[in-house]
């Protein structure tokens, strides 16, 4: 396994709930695990979750965690993830939407939605839908 150059490590309030959410509902794979810690991957994205232990504490954590940030996770197809979330009674933070982002003389398209994990971290799943040239 190759490690990405940037791997977020999320402090979580209930390790088992978070591990269940990421692995059973979102289908992340456990690359390795130790007590209250897991290194997870999904279609090339990597993330670590760890029970709050105050090693990285800069201030008191209050729900929702991760205010001001969302983690974009590029996937092949967002539909199976949405289906699993709905099956497990997880509400979407933002419904599926098609967005086009300008890059020089083209637009990059994504079908995307947002969901919060059990601690409120905001996850943005994005599926590539192509490129449009700007005239």
């Amino acid at each position: 396994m190759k490690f990405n150059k940037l791997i977020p490590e999320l402090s979580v309030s209930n390790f088992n709930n978070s591990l269940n959410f990421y692995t059973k509902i979102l289908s992340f794979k456990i690359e390795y695990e130790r007590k209250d810690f897991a290194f997870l991957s999904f279609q090339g994205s990597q993330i670590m979750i760890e029970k709050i232990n105050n090693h990285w504490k800069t201030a008191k954590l209050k729900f929702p965690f991760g205010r001001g940030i969302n983690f974009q996770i590029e996937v092949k197809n967002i539909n199976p993830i949405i289906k699993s979330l709905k099956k497990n009674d997880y509400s979407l933070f933002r419904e599926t939407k098609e967005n086009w982002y300008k890059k020089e003389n083209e637009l990059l398209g994504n079908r995307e939605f947002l969901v919060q994990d059990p601690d409120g971290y905001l996850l943005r799943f994005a599926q590539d839908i192509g490129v449009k040239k700007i005239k």
Side-chain angles (χ1 to χ4, degrees), residues 47-118:
I47 197 166
M48 296 179 280
I49 60 171
E50 183 172 32
K51 184 177 176 182
I52 296 170
N53 58 25
N54 296 325
H55 287 140
W56 318 117
K57 186 176 182 177
T58 57
K60 182 178 180 180
L61 287 173
K62 295 188 307 186
F63 186 89
F65 294 4
R67 295 176 204 180
I69 191 168
N70 74 77
F71 298 99
Q72 179 175 310
I73 303 165
E74 187 177 319
V75 297
K76 294 173 189 157
N77 185 349
I78 62 173
N79 292 332
I81 303 163
I82 293 168
K83 184 177 178 181
S84 180
L85 287 163
K86 289 183 179 179
K87 178 182 168 191
N88 288 280
D89 294 322
Y90 264 89
S91 300
L92 300 183
F93 180 82
R94 184 161 299 140
E95 293 293 327
T96 304
K97 185 177 178 186
E98 187 176 294
N99 288 311
W100 294 88
Y101 300 100
K102 186 174 187 235
K103 178 189 169 201
E104 299 169 356
N105 294 329
E106 54 189 19
L107 296 172
L108 308 177
N110 283 332
R111 253 184 92 231
E112 54 191 27
F113 72 91
L114 289 100
V115 65
Q116 288 180 286
D117 83 351

Side-chain angles (χ1 to χ4, degrees), residues 116-133:
Q116 288 180 286
D117 83 351
D119 286 300
Y121 290 108
L122 195 55
L123 309 175
R124 178 167 43 128
F125 287 89
Q127 174 185 335
D128 179 20
I129 56 172
V131 177
K132 294 180 183 177
K133 294 289 183 193

